[in-house]
């Protein structure tokens, strides 16, 4: 064991959290990596602070150098424990009536001091004096103490005591406005001494207590003059025992009662009339005296109390400070405490604040008690002897101390001892006993020496040796007096057993297995960059552990070698620096799969001698590469309201387009239902309303009816495909239906009607029949409702869960593609910074941004926005939309691929049919399977179904009112997955009204009744868009054609005709794209004709009629710029129209066609809208109706000859 002094190994811990665990505190301060500490000898917790004693002074120094520590989420501060104050002594036992002059002469004579060498500070009760020396005490304290104890002062026995340092100062004469914050700032500043303040407590208007973090701060502050708020402060050292005792109230004095509480009560009643409600009560568990006062006496006392309840008792109190804890121990152990209480039962006597606190009603008795207790403390005899530091540490051990105290008791020597530095102080109530106890203690410590082999010396540094000594007990080691040996201290009579046990331990081979826990990445770093160090440790076996629970290095071998290897590797691990680098750039996790990224990471690991652990969600390719299909599937998971919000959708008659998809009806069940309902209608005499009172039920909106608690609206007009045909639609009053039945299917209505009918005909049945029929009816109703509710609830919850899961997984995939964490392990922190800079630089160098501008971006729908999200997910890029610009950023290769999909999307947006146009021309409805009445879907549902139909899908999933459905276009059915029921649907064409009344103002703001053309500004966005589209398809003529000007054509008549034709094409076309921007080249002479009258089929054949005798339009401008189709005028100018053309449904044309051919499918004879040269990849279209094209722009260009 170390030979360091105890005060050098002791640390005081402040600001402990409540109920802190002693074991947790010990483990923390024994952990060198966290606290800097080491093995502990003892831990003593006192309220919110603790005193730690380390085995080694170096460990205590490391803990103090760190200053602040965190345990149990609380920040702790540490400091050196207080030592004996060499400048202040306490003179105890002074009579309060002794004059100050006599005390001064006594101190000067006994301590050989001059008047200027000291100052006397009396306590408020003047029973003890604080002697404040101007210089630290240079004389031997024990000599002074003995000298003073032999000479009385004014007839009183006085004693001299040392006190511990204080960490607080008392401020007096403060300015009234001084605040605690101001005092804190002052004392932590340069003028106040630059000391760290722990707490400021305001004691009164002009006084305050300032507590510092370190004891040394007090003397430094006292040496300075202090002035705050232009007021000179009086600064003194603060001691609790010098402060005035507070006057406790009667209620407070009752907190501590005597052991015989009844006697105290009786005594107080006899001496002073206490109020009834303030009588002191005996504490729980304290037995009452068996001698109770006579009843008459009690009555007399109570009457006396009642006569005058306003008299208040003045309580006097005093505090007898005892800085020596061993004296307090004697006081608690001795019978004086009980004797004083019995003699003065009306007084409260308790130990607190490092002393004895006395309070009671009589001041004279208080002085007597204080004199008795002070005399007891002064009568305690003491004997001292000096020992070596090693022996002192041995005697301080808890097991040794308890054993020796027990031995003293057995020998009839009642004494206590305490070890301070190298001095043992033995106290007793008799000087003779104290001297005998000292002699006995000196004789009880013995030592012996054990020779050591060279290999055994290293064993003494191992943990096994410390553990062995701990279990051995009553044993300690000291510095050897000769080499190759070990000196051991033990108690008398135990030396032979202890020596034999130590020799056996040293000669027995000891193996150890240690586990060095570390992070997986740190383990990899050690294996890669410290492999030579591991290979050099050949005296032990080292195994890597890479399990989920335990990860690190397992070390096995001889104890000495194993401990050395563990300490070396622990030092290596503690020196490894770590850092988590978060990279947030589009597509970074996809980039990780690239060979180039792996090469970058390997290069950095080699160059900077680091190990990089990756934390990320692996990027996975999109399951469906078609962005339109993927976006459509995502959109189908969005909930859509099935019916109109206000329930005002018109009831539509069945027409020739509607077909019955259900089989034959069950006529028997139908007739039975009709019979029951008819009987219900005739029972008016029983007080039921007539059916005509419920004519309004026809118009009842089942979608918004109150309390659809069991069934949803779409079930109101559906039927089970596998069940018999349901009953006809009868209007049963809702008042007669159980809660939750409103809005149920017709089959359920029929069954519930049967139940109602059974109950209504009860007056025709016997008592037994009535009960039986009622029971059947209730069971039938309950069964139907429960089954439907179960199916509906489970279907809804599963679908909603799937929908949320799909949405979350898609969003998570988008985020995961852009986030990467690099957990880097390095030997130096600068390498971590280099890796951070290098990797981010490599990644940012590969980032690009491309922008695509198109005026149709502002026309994006929710579907197109979903397409953009799919593009982000598919290519791992970031896509931002600002006005008419789509910006794509990310890694270069990914951005290039994403640009292609964005261009496809823009083309789709340009040719897409708007929601407004769909709703003006088409309506989708679902039919009641009994009445064939049609009910329109909501506008969102119509747009969704129409777009799916135009995409020529056979089936499409859709979520109606949070219930999954399937729309089957082949069978023209809507199928409810949750209930297993279907309903017939149909597509209805609306009558075309004034389709031009809502021409967008921004699209044709300059339309007039007469044709006109306006030149477009070359700096405008519109001009740039037209030119970009023109050059995007000009192919080999890109560098051979120069645009002169672009004119926008305005002709209200032609535009109205075109819009009317477009509405007609929309109704019948099955193509998702019905309108395209195509090019038509012409001569200068035909330009005016086309601008005024539009395109004319009568001029066909002028250039070509290969695919029919109509007007030809080219998909690519490269065809129209050829001289054959746009001959130049004398100035070399060529004229090409960029036109909106309704291509609709098309087929391949031939020379003989004068009109588009008839479609082969469908009962109604309908013609194709146009023909083309190639139906799979058309390059030109031919129309046979002049209103199917509108000349929007006239492009004037010129061929460039080089």
């Amino acid at each position: 064991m170390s030979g360091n002094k105890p005060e050098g190994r002791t640390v005081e811990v402040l600001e402990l959290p409540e109920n802190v665990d002693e074991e947790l505190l010990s483990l923390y301060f024994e952990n060198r990596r966290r606290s800097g500490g080491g093995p502990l000898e003892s831990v003593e917790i006192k309220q919110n602070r603790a005193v730690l004693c380390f085995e080694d002074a170096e460990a205590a120094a490391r803990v103090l150098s760190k200053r602040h520590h965190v345990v149990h989420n609380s920040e702790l501060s540490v400091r050196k424990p207080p030592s004996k104050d060499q400048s202040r002594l306490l003179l105890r036992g002074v009579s309060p009536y002794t004059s100050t002059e006599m005390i001064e002469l006594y101190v000067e004579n006994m301590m050989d001091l001059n008047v200027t060498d000291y100052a006397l500070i009396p306590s408020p009760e003047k029973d003890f004096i604080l002697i404040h020396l101007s210089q630290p005490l240079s004389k031997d304290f024990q000599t002074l103490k003995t000298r003073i104890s032999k000479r009385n002062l004014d007839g009183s026995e006085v004693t001299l005591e040392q006190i511990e340092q204080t960490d607080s100062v008392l401020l007096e004469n403060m300015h009234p406005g001084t605040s605690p914050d101001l005092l804190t700032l002052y004392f932590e500043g340069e003028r106040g001494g630059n000391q760290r303040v722990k707490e400021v407590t305001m004691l009164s208007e002009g006084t305050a207590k300032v507590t510092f973090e370190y004891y040394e701060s007090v003397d430094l502050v006292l040496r300075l003059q202090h002035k705050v708020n232009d007021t000179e402060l009086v600064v003194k050292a603060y001691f609790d025992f010098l402060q005035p005792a507070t006057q406790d109230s009667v209620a407070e004095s009752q907190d501590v009662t005597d052991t015989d509480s009844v006697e105290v009560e009786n005594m107080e009643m006899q001496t002073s009339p206490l109020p009834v409600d303030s009588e002191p009560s005996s504490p729980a568990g304290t037995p009452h005296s068996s001698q109770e006062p006579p009843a008459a006496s009690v009555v007399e006392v109570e009457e006396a109390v009642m006569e005058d309840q306003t008299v208040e008792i003045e309580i006097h109190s005093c505090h007898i400070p005892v800085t020596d804890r061993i004296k307090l121990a004697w006081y608690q152990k001795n019978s004086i405490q009980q004797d004083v209480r019995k003699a003065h039962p009306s007084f409260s006597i308790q130990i607190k604040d490092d002393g004895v606190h006395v309070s009671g009603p009589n001041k004279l008795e208080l002085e007597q008690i204080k004199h008795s207790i002070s005399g007891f403390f002064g009568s305690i005899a003491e004997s001292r002897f000096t020992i070596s530091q090693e022996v002192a540490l041995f005697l301080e051990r808890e097991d040794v101390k308890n054993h020796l105290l027990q031995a003293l008791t057995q020998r009839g020597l009642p004494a206590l001892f305490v070890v301070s530095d190298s001095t043992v102080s033995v106290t007793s109530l008799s000087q003779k006993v104290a001297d005998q106890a000292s002699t006995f203690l000196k004789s009880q410590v013995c030592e012996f020496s054990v020779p050591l082999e060279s290999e055994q010396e290293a064993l003494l540094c191992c943990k096994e040796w410390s553990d062995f000594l701990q279990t051995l007990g009553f044993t300690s080691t000291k510095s050897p007096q000769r080499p190759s040996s070990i000196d051991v201290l033990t108690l008398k009579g135990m030396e032979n057993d202890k020596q034999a046990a130590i020799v056996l331990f040293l000669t027995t081979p000891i193996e150890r297995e240690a586990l060095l826990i570390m992070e997986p990445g740190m383990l990899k770093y050690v294996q890669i960059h410290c492999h030579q160090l591991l290979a050099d440790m050949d005296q032990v076996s080292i195994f890597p552990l890479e399990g989920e629970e335990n990860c690190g290095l397992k070390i096995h071998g001889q104890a000495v070698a194993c401990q050395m290897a563990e300490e070396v590797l622990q030092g290596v691990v503690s020196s490894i620096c770590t850092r988590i680098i978060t990279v947030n750039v589009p597509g970074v996790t996809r980039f990780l799969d690239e060979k180039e990224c792996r090469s970058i990471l390997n290069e950095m690991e080699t160059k900077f001698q680091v190990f990089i652990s990756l934390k990320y969600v692996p990027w996975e390719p999109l399951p469906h590469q078609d962005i339109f299909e993927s976006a459509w599937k995502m959109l189908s998971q969005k909930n859509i309201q099935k019916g109109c919000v206000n329930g005002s959708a018109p009831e539509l008659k069945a027409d020739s387009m509607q077909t019955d998809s259900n089989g034959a009806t069950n006529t028997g069940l139908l007739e039975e239902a009709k019979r029951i309902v008819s009987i219900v209608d005739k029972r008016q005499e029983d007080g039921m309303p007539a059916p005509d009172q419920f004519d309004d039920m026809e118009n009842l909106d089942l979608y918004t009816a109150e309390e659809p608690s069991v069934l949803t609206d779409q079930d109101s007009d559906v039927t089970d495909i596998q069940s018999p045909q349901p009953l006809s639609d009868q209007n049963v009053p809702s008042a007669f239906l159980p809660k939750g039945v409103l809005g149920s299917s017709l089959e359920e209505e029929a069954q519930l009607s049967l139940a109602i009918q059974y109950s209504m005909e009860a007056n025709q049945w016997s008592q037994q029949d009535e009960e039986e029929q009622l029971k059947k009816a209730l069971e039938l109703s309950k069964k139907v409702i429960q089954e439907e509710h179960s199916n509906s609830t489970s279907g809804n919850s599963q679908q909603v869960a799937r929908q949320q899961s799909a949405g979350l997984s898609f969003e998570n995939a988008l985020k995961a593609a852009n986030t990467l964490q690099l957990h880097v392990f390095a030997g130096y922190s600068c390498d971590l910074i280099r890796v951070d800079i290098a990797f981010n630089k490599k990644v940012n160098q590969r980032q690009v941004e491309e922008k695509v501008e198109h005026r149709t971006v502002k026309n994006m729908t929710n579907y197109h926005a979903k397409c953009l999200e799919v593009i982000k997910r598919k290519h791992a890029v970031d896509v931002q939309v600002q006005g008419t610009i789509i910006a794509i950023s990310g890694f270069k290769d990914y951005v290039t691929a994403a640009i292609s999909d964005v261009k496809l999307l823009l083309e789709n947006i340009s040719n897409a049919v708007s929601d407004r146009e769909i709703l003006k021309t088409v309506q989708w409805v679902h039919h009641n399977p009994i009445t064939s009445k049609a009910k329109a879907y909501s506008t969102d549902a119509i747009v969704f179904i129409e777009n799916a139909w135009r995409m020529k899908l056979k089936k499409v999933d859709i979520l109606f009112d949070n219930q999954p459905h399937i729309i089957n276009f082949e069978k023209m059915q809507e199928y409810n997955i949750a209930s297993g029921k279907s309903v017939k649907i149909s597509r209805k064409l609306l009558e075309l009204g004034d389709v031009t009344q809502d021409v967008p103002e921004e699209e044709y703001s300059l339309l007039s009744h007469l044709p006109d053309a306006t030149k477009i500004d070359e700096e405008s966005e519109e001009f740039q868009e037209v030119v970009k589209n023109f050059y995007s398809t000009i192919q080999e003529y890109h560098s051979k054609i120069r645009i002169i000007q672009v004119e926008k054509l305005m002709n209200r008549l032609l535009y109205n005709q075109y819009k009317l034709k477009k509405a007609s094409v929309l109704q019948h076309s099955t193509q998702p794209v019905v309108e395209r921007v195509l090019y038509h080249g012409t001569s200068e002479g035909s330009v005016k004709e086309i601008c005024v009258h539009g395109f004319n089929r009568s001029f066909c054949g002028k250039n070509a009629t290969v695919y029919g005798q109509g007007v030809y339009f080219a998909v690519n401008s490269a065809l129209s710029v050829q001289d054959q189709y746009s001959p130049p005028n004398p100035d070399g100018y060529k004229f090409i129209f960029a036109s909106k053309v309704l291509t609709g449904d098309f087929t391949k044309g031939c020379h003989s066609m004068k009109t588009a051919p008839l479609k082969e499918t469908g009962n109604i004879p309908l013609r194709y809208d146009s023909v083309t040269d190639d139906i799979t990849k058309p390059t030109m279209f031919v129309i046979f109706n002049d209103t199917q094209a509108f000349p929007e722009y006239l492009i004037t260009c010129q061929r460039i000859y080089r």
Side-chain angles (χ1 to χ4, degrees), residues 638-643 645 862 915 919 937-947 958 960:
K638 177 185 176 184
N639 183 48
I640 298 176
Q641 184 175 355
K642 181 177 179 180
V645 176
N862 289 337
D915 296 351
L919 295 173
Y937 286 101
S938 66
T939 55
D940 290 341
I942 291 174
V943 171
F944 181 87
I945 297 173
E946 176 68 14
N947 283 324
I958 189 170
F960 280 144

Side-chain angles (χ1 to χ4, degrees), residues 919-922 988-995 1060 1063 1067:
L919 295 173
K920 290 184 63 175
T921 57
V922 174
K988 185 179 181 298
L989 306 180
L990 300 179
E991 294 182 3
L992 300 178
D994 185 6
V995 297
L1060 188 62
Q1067 289 182 328

Side-chain angles (χ1 to χ4, degrees), residues 964-1068:
H965 289 71
I966 297 176
I967 301 295
N968 189 325
F969 291 113
E970 290 182 326
K971 297 182 178 180
M972 292 299 282
Q973 273 185 354
E974 170 205 296
Y975 178 69
N976 187 326
I977 298 176
S979 64
K981 298 173 183 178
S982 66
V983 64
K984 183 176 172 296
I985 64 171
S986 61
R987 181 176 184 264
K988 185 179 181 298
L989 306 180
L990 300 179
E991 294 182 3
L992 300 178
D994 185 6
V995 297
T996 62
Q997 62 183 355
D998 56 351
V999 177
E1001 187 67 24
E1002 69 277 6
E1003 187 175 354
Y1004 278 95
S1005 58
L1006 300 177
L1007 281 180
S1008 61
H1009 291 287
L1010 295 177
D1012 195 6
T1014 303
K1015 183 178 179 181
I1016 302 177
D1017 184 8
E1018 294 183 4
E1019 300 298 326
S1020 68
E1021 178 186 335
E1022 185 178 13
F1023 179 88
Q1024 299 296 330
E1025 187 67 30
V1026 174
V1027 171
K1028 184 175 67 173
N1029 292 338
F1030 179 80
Y1031 277 113
S1032 65
T1033 59
I1034 204 169
Q1035 298 171 358
E1036 70 271 15
Y1037 295 97
H1038 196 281
S1039 59
K1040 299 178 181 179
I1041 296 295
R1042 179 178 62 221
I1043 292 180
I1044 305 301
Q1045 67 177 13
V1046 176
E1047 297 172 276
K1048 185 169 185 176
L1049 306 180
M1050 290 152 286
N1051 189 324
R1052 181 177 291 277
L1053 177 61
L1054 290 182
Y1055 189 72
N1056 287 346
Q1057 292 174 347
Y1058 175 78
K1059 294 289 285 185
L1060 188 62
K1061 183 61 178 177
K1062 182 177 180 180
S1064 175
V1065 172
L1066 277 173
Q1067 289 182 328
H1068 300 287

Side-chain angles (χ1 to χ4, degrees), residues 168-204:
S168 304
V169 296
L170 178 68
L171 306 182
E172 296 177 342
N173 194 39
M174 290 195 311
H175 188 276
T178 306
S179 65
D181 292 339
L182 178 61
L183 292 175
T184 301
L185 290 172
Y186 172 76
F187 283 105
E188 289 187 347
E190 189 172 351
R191 289 190 304 151
N194 202 19
Q195 302 300 313
R196 298 185 63 174
V197 176
K198 180 182 177 184
E199 183 182 11
V200 176
T201 306
M202 305 300 291
L203 302 179
S204 63

